[in-house]
Structure formats: C-alpha cells, structure tokens
C-alpha cells in the first residue's frame, strides 16, 4: 500500500518557516542555536519580510517530488565581521528562534564589503 502526505500538509511546515523568518545570516560555522546564528558565528545578516509569496519566499513543487520553500537571492548584504562563510541560517528575531540552516559555498568575506546569498531551497520529499 502506498503512502501519501498531501501537498497542503507539507506546505504548512514550509509556510511556518517563511512566516516566522525575519533575518538571514551568513555564518562561519554551523550554528545550532539562535545565539550562535545571530551573534557567535554571524558574519553578515539581512532582514527579510516574513511570509510565503511576499517576494523573499515562495513555496512550490519540489525539484523531483514533494514541495519546497525557496528563499530568493539576497544581494548587497553588508559583511560585519571578516571570516569564511560556510552556512546560511534563517532566524525568527522576535521569537529568538533558529528556524533552519543550510550550507553555502565556502568563501572568505571581508568586513565592510557586501555579499550575496544565492537563492536556495528547503525541500520535503513525498512520503515513500
């Protein structure tokens, strides 16, 4: 017998991230807490508008199946601290919560310069 989780249910999880995310940080190592993502390992940050479909986030079909949340490219992100960018974190500032973390191409960044956070997806595969 097959398994099924309707797209609408997968979208609830993805929308929760989009609806609560107000800051995206570039981090020097993988954060596991809000404080690490927001301060300890943060090299740069950008404020985003929470909510799916608002210009910063979209929800749609996954690349092969399931559903995905896409953070669109963020440009002109001011680097506050020099270091090597290795991770990107999504944060809920008002709730002081770490929502998600992904890797990025390892790259040195210099304080005072700007960086670009390329678009990326958080995907949930269909039930198997």
């Amino acid at each position: 017998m097959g398994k099924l989780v309707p797209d609408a249910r997968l979208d609830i999880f993805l929308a929760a991230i989009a609806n609560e995310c107000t800051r995206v940080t570039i981090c020097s190592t993988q954060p596991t807490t809000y404080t690490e993502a927001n301060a300890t390992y943060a090299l740069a940050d950008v404020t985003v508008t929470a909510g799916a479909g608002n210009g910063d986030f979209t929800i749609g079909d996954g690349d092969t199946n399931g559903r995905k949340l896409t953070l669109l490219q963020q440009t002109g992100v001011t680097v506050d601290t020099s270091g090597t960018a290795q991770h990107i974190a999504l944060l809920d500032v008002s709730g002081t919560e770490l929502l998600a973390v992904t890797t990025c191409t390892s790259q040195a960044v210099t304080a005072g310069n700007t960086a670009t956070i390329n678009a990326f997806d958080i995907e949930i595969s269909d039930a198997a």
Side-chain angles (χ1 to χ4, degrees):
M1 177 170 274
K3 299 174 185 164
L4 172 70
V5 177
D7 287 350
R9 292 294 169 188
L10 299 177
D11 288 355
I12 290 170
F13 174 79
L14 297 171
I17 294 172
N19 291 337
E20 295 173 17
C21 182
T22 54
R23 180 177 293 155
V24 178
T25 59
I26 299 171
C27 297
S28 60
T29 195
Q30 182 178 353
T32 59
T33 66
Y34 175 84
T35 299
E36 288 177 350
N38 194 49
T40 310
Y41 304 137
L43 303 174
D45 65 84
V46 61
T47 299
V48 293
T49 303
N54 66 12
D56 289 320
F57 295 97
T58 60
I59 294 176
D61 289 332
D63 292 336
T64 57
N65 65 52
R67 302 290 285 167
K68 69 181 177 184
L69 171 68
T70 301
L71 173 71
L72 301 179
Q73 183 176 16
Q74 305 293 308
T75 59
V77 180
T78 301
V79 177
D80 301 310
T81 304
S82 296
T84 302
Q86 295 185 2
H87 289 82
I88 306 297
L90 303 179
L91 307 175
D92 171 5
V93 175
S94 65
T96 62
E97 185 177 2
L98 175 63
L99 300 170
V101 178
T102 190
T103 57
C104 63
T105 302
S106 181
Q107 180 177 343
V109 294
T110 304
N113 288 344
T114 60
T116 296
I117 299 171
N118 291 324
F120 67 89
D121 303 327
I122 296 172
E123 289 200 43
I124 302 173
S125 296
D126 284 331

